[in-house]
Amino acid sequence: QVQLLESGGGLVQPGGSLRLSCTASETGFSPSRNTMAWWRQAPGKQRDLVASITSGGTPYYSGSARGRFTISKDNAKKTVYLQGDSLQPDDTAVYYCALAYRYYSGNRPDIYEYWGQGTQVTVSS
């Protein structure tokens, strides 16, 4: 059983920065090979991958995120971070943390077994 707890969302002015955190609480057996990711969903749109990172530390970024978002993790804390810079109104969305027990760098949300509740990020002046 896994619970993912996100934090760090809020209101950001255009051009500003934000750092999101997601901590995994696992009980029972947890495979060593996994991928944690940040997805986002704007109103009326599908859920899109922002970035992912494997347990081995390999990051992957979607085209729209590359250069403005940075994903990182702290294995000891079982926490993954998403740093977003130069944020624009189009980045407004609910951001979700997700966990898959495999190495995966694609954009199929059904691959991920566990999801957090989401944290709202609003970019507006």
Side-chain angles (χ1 to χ4, degrees):
Q1 188 67 23
V2 177
Q3 288 186 327
L4 301 175
L5 182 61
E6 302 117 330
S7 62
L11 177 65
V12 184
Q13 290 193 341
S17 299
L18 200 65
R19 189 192 197 206
L20 305 180
S21 300
C22 171
T23 299
S25 174
E26 298 172 291
T27 57
F29 173 73
S30 56
S32 59
R33 178 174 294 191
N34 64 69
T35 300
M36 294 189 76
W38 286 97
W39 294 72
R40 67 184 182 184
Q41 187 167 21
K45 296 187 177 181
Q46 68 179 20
R47 190 170 296 189
D48 291 325
L49 177 70
V50 179
S52 64
I53 188 166
T54 67
S55 49
T58 302
Y60 171 82
Y61 297 94
S62 67
S64 62
R66 196 169 292 118
R68 297 190 303 119
F69 289 87
T70 302
I71 191 168
S72 61
K73 65 185 181 72
D74 184 328
N75 285 333
K77 296 181 179 179
K78 294 187 177 181
T79 298
V80 62
Y81 305 96
L82 183 70
Q83 174 74 33
D85 299 310
S86 300
L87 295 174
Q88 299 302 318
D90 284 350
D91 295 312
T92 295
V94 178
Y95 284 70
Y96 295 92
C97 177
L99 168 67
Y101 282 137
R102 68 185 72 189
Y103 285 164
Y104 181 68
S105 61
N107 58 4
R108 285 180 52 188
D110 60 297
I111 295 294
Y112 287 82
E113 290 97 341
Y114 299 99
W115 292 83
Q117 293 296 312
T119 184
Q120 176 71 46
V121 173
T122 302
V123 184
S124 175
S125 56

Coordinates of all heavy atoms in Angstrom, one line a residue, residues 31-111:
P31 N 9.0 -2.7 -4.3 CA 10.1 -3.0 -5.3 C 11.1 -1.9 -5.3 O 10.8 -0.7 -5.2 CB 9.4 -3.2 -6.6 CG 8.0 -3.5 -6.2 CD 7.7 -2.8 -4.9
S32 N 12.4 -2.3 -5.5 CA 13.4 -1.2 -5.6 C 13.4 -0.5 -6.9 O 13.9 0.7 -7.0 CB 14.8 -1.9 -5.4 OG 15.0 -2.9 -6.5
R33 N 12.9 -1.1 -8.0 CA 12.8 -0.4 -9.3 C 11.5 0.3 -9.4 O 10.4 -0.3 -9.3 CB 12.9 -1.5 -10.4 CG 12.8 -0.9 -11.8 CD 13.1 -1.9 -12.9 NE 14.4 -2.4 -12.8 CZ 15.0 -3.1 -13.7 NH1 14.3 -3.5 -14.8 NH2 16.2 -3.6 -13.6
N34 N 11.6 1.6 -9.5 CA 10.4 2.4 -9.7 C 10.6 3.7 -10.4 O 11.7 4.1 -10.7 CB 9.8 2.7 -8.3 CG 10.7 3.6 -7.4 OD1 10.9 4.7 -7.7 ND2 11.2 3.0 -6.4
T35 N 9.5 4.3 -10.8 CA 9.5 5.6 -11.4 C 8.5 6.5 -10.7 O 7.4 6.1 -10.5 CB 9.2 5.5 -12.9 OG1 10.1 4.7 -13.6 CG2 9.2 6.9 -13.6
M36 N 9.0 7.7 -10.4 CA 8.1 8.7 -9.8 C 8.0 9.8 -10.8 O 8.9 10.2 -11.5 CB 8.6 9.2 -8.5 CG 8.5 8.1 -7.4 SD 8.8 8.8 -5.7 CE 7.3 9.5 -5.4
A37 N 6.8 10.4 -10.9 CA 6.5 11.4 -11.9 C 5.6 12.5 -11.4 O 4.9 12.3 -10.5 CB 5.9 10.7 -13.1
W38 N 5.7 13.6 -12.1 CA 4.7 14.7 -12.0 C 3.9 14.8 -13.2 O 4.5 14.9 -14.3 CB 5.4 16.0 -11.7 CG 6.0 16.1 -10.3 CD1 7.3 15.8 -9.9 CD2 5.3 16.4 -9.1 NE1 7.4 16.0 -8.5 CE2 6.2 16.4 -8.0 CE3 4.0 16.8 -8.8 CZ2 5.8 16.7 -6.7 CZ3 3.6 17.1 -7.5 CH2 4.5 17.0 -6.5
W39 N 2.6 14.8 -13.1 CA 1.7 15.1 -14.1 C 0.9 16.3 -13.8 O 0.8 16.8 -12.7 CB 0.7 13.9 -14.3 CG 1.3 12.6 -14.7 CD1 2.2 11.8 -14.0 CD2 1.2 12.0 -16.0 NE1 2.5 10.7 -14.7 CE2 1.9 10.8 -15.9 CE3 0.4 12.3 -17.1 CZ2 2.0 9.9 -17.0 CZ3 0.5 11.4 -18.2 CH2 1.3 10.2 -18.1
R40 N 0.2 16.9 -14.8 CA -0.7 18.0 -14.5 C -1.9 18.0 -15.4 O -1.9 17.4 -16.5 CB 0.1 19.3 -14.8 CG 0.5 19.6 -16.2 CD 1.3 20.9 -16.3 NE 1.6 21.3 -17.7 CZ 2.4 22.3 -18.0 NH1 2.9 23.1 -17.0 NH2 2.7 22.5 -19.2
Q41 N -3.0 18.5 -14.9 CA -4.2 18.6 -15.6 C -4.9 19.9 -15.5 O -5.2 20.3 -14.4 CB -5.2 17.5 -15.1 CG -6.4 17.3 -16.0 CD -7.2 16.0 -15.7 OE1 -7.0 15.4 -14.6 NE2 -8.0 15.6 -16.6
A42 N -5.0 20.6 -16.6 CA -5.7 21.9 -16.6 C -7.2 21.7 -16.8 O -7.6 20.6 -17.4 CB -5.1 22.8 -17.7
P43 N -8.0 22.6 -16.4 CA -9.5 22.4 -16.6 C -9.9 22.2 -18.0 O -9.4 22.9 -19.0 CB -10.1 23.8 -16.1 CG -9.1 24.3 -15.2 CD -7.7 23.9 -15.7
G44 N -10.6 21.1 -18.2 CA -11.1 20.8 -19.6 C -10.1 20.1 -20.5 O -10.3 19.8 -21.6
K45 N -8.9 19.8 -19.9 CA -7.8 19.1 -20.7 C -7.5 17.8 -20.1 O -7.8 17.5 -19.0 CB -6.6 20.1 -20.8 CG -6.9 21.4 -21.5 CD -5.6 22.2 -21.7 CE -5.9 23.4 -22.5 NZ -4.6 24.2 -22.7
Q46 N -6.7 17.0 -20.9 CA -6.3 15.7 -20.5 C -5.1 15.9 -19.5 O -4.5 16.9 -19.5 CB -5.9 14.8 -21.6 CG -4.6 15.3 -22.4 CD -4.3 14.4 -23.5 OE1 -5.1 13.6 -24.0 NE2 -3.0 14.4 -23.9
R47 N -4.8 14.8 -18.8 CA -3.7 14.8 -17.9 C -2.4 14.5 -18.7 O -2.3 13.6 -19.4 CB -3.9 13.7 -16.8 CG -2.9 13.8 -15.7 CD -3.3 12.8 -14.6 NE -4.6 13.2 -13.9 CZ -5.1 12.7 -12.8 NH1 -4.4 11.7 -12.2 NH2 -6.2 13.1 -12.3
D48 N -1.5 15.4 -18.5 CA -0.2 15.4 -19.3 C 1.0 15.2 -18.3 O 1.0 15.7 -17.2 CB 0.0 16.7 -20.1 CG -1.0 16.8 -21.2 OD1 -1.4 15.8 -21.8 OD2 -1.4 18.0 -21.5
L49 N 2.0 14.4 -18.8 CA 3.2 14.2 -18.1 C 4.0 15.5 -18.1 O 4.2 16.1 -19.2 CB 4.0 13.1 -18.7 CG 5.3 12.8 -18.1 CD1 5.2 12.2 -16.7 CD2 6.1 11.8 -19.0
V50 N 4.6 15.9 -17.0 CA 5.5 17.0 -16.9 C 6.9 16.4 -16.9 O 7.8 16.8 -17.7 CB 5.3 17.8 -15.6 CG1 6.3 19.0 -15.6 CG2 3.9 18.4 -15.6
A51 N 7.2 15.5 -15.9 CA 8.5 15.0 -15.8 C 8.5 13.7 -15.0 O 7.6 13.5 -14.2 CB 9.5 16.0 -15.2
S52 N 9.5 12.8 -15.2 CA 9.5 11.6 -14.4 C 11.0 11.3 -14.1 O 11.9 11.9 -14.7 CB 9.0 10.4 -15.1 OG 9.7 10.1 -16.3
I53 N 11.2 10.5 -13.0 CA 12.6 10.2 -12.6 C 12.6 8.7 -12.1 O 11.7 8.3 -11.3 CB 13.1 11.1 -11.6 CG1 14.6 10.9 -11.3 CG2 12.3 11.1 -10.3 CD1 15.3 12.0 -10.6
T54 N 13.5 7.9 -12.5 CA 13.6 6.5 -12.1 C 14.3 6.4 -10.8 O 15.0 7.4 -10.3 CB 14.3 5.7 -13.1 OG1 15.7 6.1 -13.2 CG2 13.7 5.8 -14.5
S55 N 14.2 5.3 -10.1 CA 14.9 5.0 -8.9 C 16.4 5.1 -9.1 O 17.2 5.3 -8.2 CB 14.5 3.7 -8.3 OG 14.5 2.7 -9.2
G56 N 16.8 4.9 -10.4 CA 18.2 5.0 -10.7 C 18.7 6.4 -10.9 O 19.8 6.6 -11.1
G57 N 17.7 7.3 -10.9 CA 18.0 8.8 -11.1 C 17.9 9.3 -12.5 O 18.3 10.5 -12.7
T58 N 17.4 8.6 -13.4 CA 17.3 9.0 -14.8 C 16.1 9.9 -15.0 O 15.0 9.4 -14.8 CB 17.3 7.9 -15.8 OG1 18.4 7.1 -15.6 CG2 17.2 8.4 -17.2
P59 N 16.2 11.2 -15.3 CA 15.0 12.0 -15.5 C 14.5 12.0 -17.0 O 15.3 11.7 -17.9 CB 15.6 13.4 -15.2 CG 17.0 13.4 -15.6 CD 17.5 11.9 -15.4
Y60 N 13.3 12.3 -17.1 CA 12.7 12.5 -18.4 C 11.7 13.7 -18.3 O 11.0 13.8 -17.4 CB 11.9 11.2 -18.8 CG 11.1 11.4 -20.1 CD1 11.7 11.3 -21.3 CD2 9.7 11.7 -20.0 CE1 11.0 11.4 -22.5 CE2 9.0 11.9 -21.2 CZ 9.6 11.8 -22.4 OH 8.9 11.9 -23.5
Y61 N 11.8 14.5 -19.4 CA 10.9 15.7 -19.4 C 10.1 15.7 -20.7 O 10.6 15.3 -21.8 CB 11.8 16.9 -19.4 CG 12.6 17.1 -18.1 CD1 13.9 16.7 -18.1 CD2 12.0 17.7 -17.0 CE1 14.7 16.8 -16.9 CE2 12.8 17.8 -15.8 CZ 14.1 17.4 -15.8 OH 14.8 17.5 -14.6
S62 N 8.8 16.1 -20.5 CA 8.0 16.3 -21.7 C 8.5 17.5 -22.5 O 9.3 18.4 -21.9 CB 6.6 16.6 -21.3 OG 6.4 17.8 -20.6
G63 N 8.1 17.7 -23.7 CA 8.6 18.8 -24.5 C 8.3 20.1 -23.9 O 9.2 21.0 -24.0
S64 N 7.1 20.3 -23.4 CA 6.8 21.6 -22.9 C 7.5 21.9 -21.6 O 7.6 23.1 -21.2 CB 5.2 21.7 -22.6 OG 4.9 20.7 -21.7
A65 N 8.0 20.9 -20.9 CA 8.6 21.1 -19.6 C 10.1 21.3 -19.6 O 10.7 21.9 -18.8 CB 8.3 20.0 -18.6
R66 N 10.7 20.8 -20.7 CA 12.1 20.8 -20.8 C 12.7 22.2 -20.8 O 12.2 23.1 -21.5 CB 12.6 20.1 -22.1 CG 14.0 19.7 -22.1 CD 14.3 18.8 -23.3 NE 13.7 17.5 -23.1 CZ 12.8 17.0 -23.9 NH1 12.4 17.7 -25.0 NH2 12.3 15.8 -23.7
G67 N 13.6 22.5 -19.9 CA 14.2 23.8 -19.8 C 13.6 24.7 -18.7 O 14.3 25.7 -18.3
R68 N 12.4 24.4 -18.3 CA 11.8 25.2 -17.3 C 11.5 24.5 -16.0 O 11.2 25.1 -15.0 CB 10.5 25.8 -17.8 CG 10.7 26.8 -19.0 CD 9.4 27.5 -19.3 NE 8.3 26.6 -19.6 CZ 7.2 26.6 -18.9 NH1 7.0 27.4 -17.9 NH2 6.2 25.7 -19.2
F69 N 11.4 23.2 -16.1 CA 11.1 22.3 -14.9 C 12.3 21.4 -14.7 O 12.9 20.9 -15.6 CB 9.8 21.5 -15.1 CG 8.6 22.3 -15.1 CD1 8.1 22.9 -16.3 CD2 7.9 22.4 -14.0 CE1 6.9 23.6 -16.3 CE2 6.7 23.2 -13.9 CZ 6.2 23.7 -15.1
T70 N 12.5 21.2 -13.4 CA 13.6 20.2 -13.0 C 13.0 19.3 -12.0 O 12.5 19.7 -10.9 CB 14.8 21.0 -12.4 OG1 15.3 21.9 -13.3 CG2 15.9 20.0 -12.0
I71 N 13.2 18.0 -12.2 CA 12.7 17.0 -11.3 C 13.9 16.4 -10.6 O 15.0 16.2 -11.2 CB 11.9 15.8 -12.0 CG1 11.2 14.9 -11.0 CG2 12.8 15.1 -13.0 CD1 10.2 14.0 -11.7
S72 N 13.8 16.1 -9.3 CA 14.9 15.6 -8.5 C 14.3 14.7 -7.4 O 13.0 14.8 -7.2 CB 15.8 16.7 -7.9 OG 15.0 17.5 -7.1
K73 N 15.1 14.0 -6.7 CA 14.6 13.1 -5.6 C 15.6 12.9 -4.5 O 16.8 13.1 -4.7 CB 14.1 11.8 -6.2 CG 15.3 10.9 -6.7 CD 14.7 9.7 -7.4 CE 15.8 8.8 -7.9 NZ 16.6 8.2 -6.9
D74 N 15.0 12.6 -3.4 CA 15.8 12.2 -2.2 C 15.4 10.9 -1.8 O 14.3 10.7 -1.2 CB 15.6 13.3 -1.1 CG 16.5 13.0 0.1 OD1 16.8 11.8 0.4 OD2 16.8 14.0 0.8
N75 N 16.2 9.8 -2.1 CA 15.8 8.5 -1.8 C 15.6 8.2 -0.4 O 14.7 7.5 0.0 CB 16.8 7.5 -2.4 CG 16.8 7.4 -3.9 OD1 15.7 7.6 -4.5 ND2 17.9 7.1 -4.5
A76 N 16.5 8.8 0.5 CA 16.4 8.6 1.9 C 15.0 9.1 2.4 O 14.5 8.5 3.4 CB 17.5 9.2 2.6
K77 N 14.5 10.1 1.9 CA 13.3 10.7 2.3 C 12.1 10.2 1.5 O 10.9 10.6 1.8 CB 13.3 12.3 2.3 CG 14.3 12.9 3.2 CD 14.3 14.4 3.1 CE 15.3 15.1 4.0 NZ 15.3 16.5 3.9
K78 N 12.4 9.4 0.5 CA 11.3 8.9 -0.4 C 10.5 10.1 -0.9 O 9.3 10.0 -1.0 CB 10.4 7.9 0.3 CG 11.2 6.6 0.6 CD 10.2 5.5 1.2 CE 11.0 4.2 1.5 NZ 10.0 3.2 2.0
T79 N 11.2 11.1 -1.3 CA 10.5 12.4 -1.8 C 11.0 12.7 -3.2 O 12.2 12.7 -3.4 CB 10.8 13.5 -0.8 OG1 10.3 13.1 0.5 CG2 10.2 14.8 -1.2
V80 N 10.1 13.2 -4.0 CA 10.5 13.7 -5.3 C 10.0 15.1 -5.4 O 9.0 15.5 -4.8 CB 9.8 12.9 -6.4 CG1 8.3 12.9 -6.4 CG2 10.3 13.3 -7.8
Y81 N 10.9 16.0 -6.0 CA 10.6 17.4 -6.1 C 10.4 17.8 -7.6 O 11.0 17.2 -8.5 CB 11.8 18.2 -5.6 CG 12.1 17.8 -4.2 CD1 13.2 16.9 -3.9 CD2 11.5 18.3 -3.1 CE1 13.5 16.5 -2.6 CE2 11.8 18.0 -1.8 CZ 12.8 17.1 -1.5 OH 13.1 16.7 -0.3
L82 N 9.7 18.9 -7.8 CA 9.5 19.5 -9.1 C 9.7 21.0 -8.9 O 8.9 21.6 -8.3 CB 8.2 19.2 -9.7 CG 8.0 19.7 -11.1 CD1 8.9 18.9 -12.1 CD2 6.5 19.7 -11.6
Q83 N 10.8 21.5 -9.5 CA 11.1 22.9 -9.5 C 10.6 23.5 -10.8 O 11.0 23.0 -11.9 CB 12.6 23.1 -9.3 CG 13.0 24.6 -9.5 CD 12.7 25.4 -8.3 OE1 12.6 24.9 -7.1 NE2 12.4 26.7 -8.5
G84 N 9.8 24.5 -10.8 CA 9.3 25.1 -12.0 C 9.7 26.6 -12.0 O 9.6 27.3 -11.0
D85 N 10.4 27.0 -13.1 CA 10.8 28.4 -13.2 C 10.2 29.0 -14.5 O 9.7 28.4 -15.4 CB 12.4 28.4 -13.3 CG 13.0 27.8 -12.1 OD1 12.7 28.2 -11.0 OD2 13.9 26.9 -12.3
S86 N 10.2 30.4 -14.5 CA 9.6 31.1 -15.6 C 8.2 30.7 -15.9 O 7.8 30.4 -17.0 CB 10.5 31.0 -16.8 OG 11.8 31.5 -16.6
L87 N 7.4 30.5 -14.8 CA 6.1 29.9 -15.0 C 5.2 30.9 -15.7 O 5.3 32.2 -15.5 CB 5.5 29.6 -13.6 CG 6.2 28.4 -12.9 CD1 5.7 28.2 -11.5 CD2 6.1 27.1 -13.7
Q88 N 4.3 30.4 -16.5 CA 3.4 31.2 -17.3 C 1.9 30.7 -17.0 O 1.7 29.7 -16.5 CB 3.7 31.0 -18.8 CG 5.1 31.5 -19.2 CD 5.3 33.0 -18.8 OE1 4.5 33.8 -19.0 NE2 6.5 33.2 -18.3
P89 N 1.0 31.6 -17.3 CA -0.4 31.2 -17.1 C -0.8 29.8 -17.7 O -1.7 29.1 -17.1 CB -1.2 32.3 -17.8 CG -0.3 33.5 -17.6 CD 1.1 33.0 -17.8
D90 N -0.2 29.4 -18.7 CA -0.5 28.1 -19.3 C 0.0 27.0 -18.4 O -0.4 25.8 -18.6 CB 0.2 27.9 -20.7 CG -0.5 28.7 -21.8 OD1 -1.7 29.2 -21.5 OD2 0.0 28.8 -22.9
D91 N 0.8 27.3 -17.4 CA 1.2 26.2 -16.5 C 0.2 26.0 -15.3 O 0.4 25.1 -14.5 CB 2.6 26.6 -15.8 CG 3.7 26.7 -16.9 OD1 3.8 25.7 -17.7 OD2 4.4 27.6 -16.9
T92 N -0.9 26.8 -15.3 CA -1.9 26.7 -14.3 C -2.6 25.3 -14.5 O -3.1 25.0 -15.6 CB -2.9 27.8 -14.5 OG1 -2.3 29.0 -14.2 CG2 -4.1 27.6 -13.5
A93 N -2.6 24.5 -13.4 CA -3.2 23.2 -13.5 C -3.1 22.6 -12.1 O -2.5 23.1 -11.2 CB -2.4 22.3 -14.4
V94 N -3.8 21.5 -11.9 CA -3.6 20.6 -10.8 C -2.4 19.7 -11.1 O -2.4 19.0 -12.1 CB -4.8 19.8 -10.4 CG1 -4.6 18.9 -9.2 CG2 -6.0 20.7 -10.1
Y95 N -1.4 19.7 -10.2 CA -0.2 18.9 -10.4 C -0.3 17.6 -9.5 O -0.6 17.7 -8.3 CB 1.0 19.7 -10.1 CG 1.4 20.7 -11.1 CD1 0.6 21.8 -11.4 CD2 2.5 20.5 -12.0 CE1 0.9 22.7 -12.4 CE2 2.8 21.4 -13.0 CZ 2.0 22.5 -13.2 OH 2.3 23.4 -14.2
Y96 N -0.1 16.5 -10.2 CA -0.3 15.2 -9.5 C 1.1 14.5 -9.4 O 1.8 14.5 -10.4 CB -1.3 14.3 -10.2 CG -2.7 14.8 -10.2 CD1 -3.1 15.6 -11.3 CD2 -3.6 14.5 -9.2 CE1 -4.4 16.0 -11.3 CE2 -4.9 14.9 -9.2 CZ -5.3 15.7 -10.3 OH -6.6 16.1 -10.3
C97 N 1.3 13.8 -8.3 CA 2.5 13.0 -8.2 C 2.0 11.5 -8.4 O 0.9 11.2 -8.1 CB 3.0 13.1 -6.8 SG 4.4 12.0 -6.4
A98 N 2.9 10.7 -9.1 CA 2.5 9.4 -9.4 C 3.7 8.4 -9.2 O 4.8 8.9 -9.4 CB 1.9 9.3 -10.8
L99 N 3.4 7.2 -9.0 CA 4.4 6.2 -8.7 C 4.1 4.9 -9.6 O 3.0 4.4 -9.5 CB 4.5 5.8 -7.2 CG 5.3 4.6 -6.9 CD1 6.8 4.8 -7.1 CD2 5.1 4.2 -5.4
A100 N 5.1 4.4 -10.3 CA 5.0 3.2 -11.0 C 6.1 2.2 -10.6 O 7.3 2.7 -10.4 CB 5.1 3.4 -12.5
Y101 N 5.8 1.0 -10.4 CA 6.8 0.0 -9.9 C 7.5 -0.6 -11.2 O 7.4 -1.8 -11.4 CB 6.2 -1.0 -9.0 CG 6.0 -0.5 -7.6 CD1 4.9 -0.8 -6.9 CD2 7.0 0.2 -7.0 CE1 4.7 -0.4 -5.6 CE2 6.9 0.7 -5.7 CZ 5.7 0.4 -5.0 OH 5.5 0.8 -3.7
R102 N 8.1 0.2 -11.9 CA 8.9 -0.2 -13.1 C 9.7 1.0 -13.6 O 9.4 2.1 -13.2 CB 8.0 -0.7 -14.2 CG 7.1 0.3 -14.9 CD 6.2 -0.2 -15.8 NE 5.1 -1.0 -15.2 CZ 4.2 -1.7 -15.8 NH1 4.3 -1.9 -17.2 NH2 3.2 -2.4 -15.2
Y103 N 10.6 0.8 -14.5 CA 11.2 1.9 -15.2 C 10.3 2.3 -16.3 O 10.0 1.5 -17.2 CB 12.6 1.6 -15.7 CG 13.7 1.5 -14.6 CD1 14.9 0.9 -14.9 CD2 13.5 2.1 -13.4 CE1 15.9 0.8 -13.9 CE2 14.5 2.1 -12.4 CZ 15.7 1.4 -12.7 OH 16.6 1.4 -11.7
Y104 N 9.9 3.6 -16.4 CA 9.0 4.0 -17.5 C 9.2 5.5 -17.7 O 9.1 6.3 -16.8 CB 7.6 3.7 -17.1 CG 6.6 4.1 -18.2 CD1 6.5 3.4 -19.4 CD2 5.7 5.1 -18.0 CE1 5.7 3.7 -20.4 CE2 4.8 5.5 -19.0 CZ 4.8 4.8 -20.2 OH 3.9 5.1 -21.2
S105 N 9.4 5.9 -19.0 CA 9.6 7.3 -19.3 C 8.5 7.7 -20.3 O 8.7 8.8 -20.9 CB 11.0 7.5 -19.9 OG 11.1 6.7 -21.1
G106 N 7.5 7.0 -20.5 CA 6.5 7.4 -21.5 C 5.4 8.2 -20.9 O 5.5 8.7 -19.7
N107 N 4.3 8.5 -21.6 CA 3.3 9.4 -21.1 C 1.9 8.7 -21.1 O 0.9 9.3 -21.4 CB 3.2 10.6 -22.0 CG 3.0 10.2 -23.5 OD1 2.8 9.0 -23.8 ND2 2.9 11.2 -24.4
R108 N 1.9 7.4 -20.7 CA 0.7 6.7 -20.4 C 0.4 6.7 -18.9 O 1.1 6.1 -18.1 CB 0.8 5.2 -20.9 CG 0.7 5.1 -22.4 CD 0.9 3.6 -22.7 NE -0.1 2.8 -22.0 CZ -0.1 1.5 -22.0 NH1 0.8 0.8 -22.7 NH2 -1.0 0.8 -21.3
P109 N -0.6 7.4 -18.5 CA -0.9 7.5 -17.1 C -1.4 6.2 -16.5 O -1.2 6.0 -15.3 CB -2.1 8.6 -17.0 CG -2.7 8.6 -18.4 CD -1.5 8.3 -19.3
D110 N -1.9 5.3 -17.3 CA -2.4 4.0 -16.8 C -1.3 3.1 -16.3 O -1.5 2.1 -15.6 CB -3.3 3.3 -17.8 CG -2.5 3.0 -19.1 OD1 -2.0 4.0 -19.8 OD2 -2.3 1.8 -19.4
I111 N 0.0 3.4 -16.7 CA 1.1 2.7 -16.2 C 1.4 2.9 -14.7 O 1.9 2.0 -14.1 CB 2.4 3.0 -17.0 CG1 2.2 2.6 -18.5 CG2 3.6 2.4 -16.5 CD1 2.1 1.1 -18.8

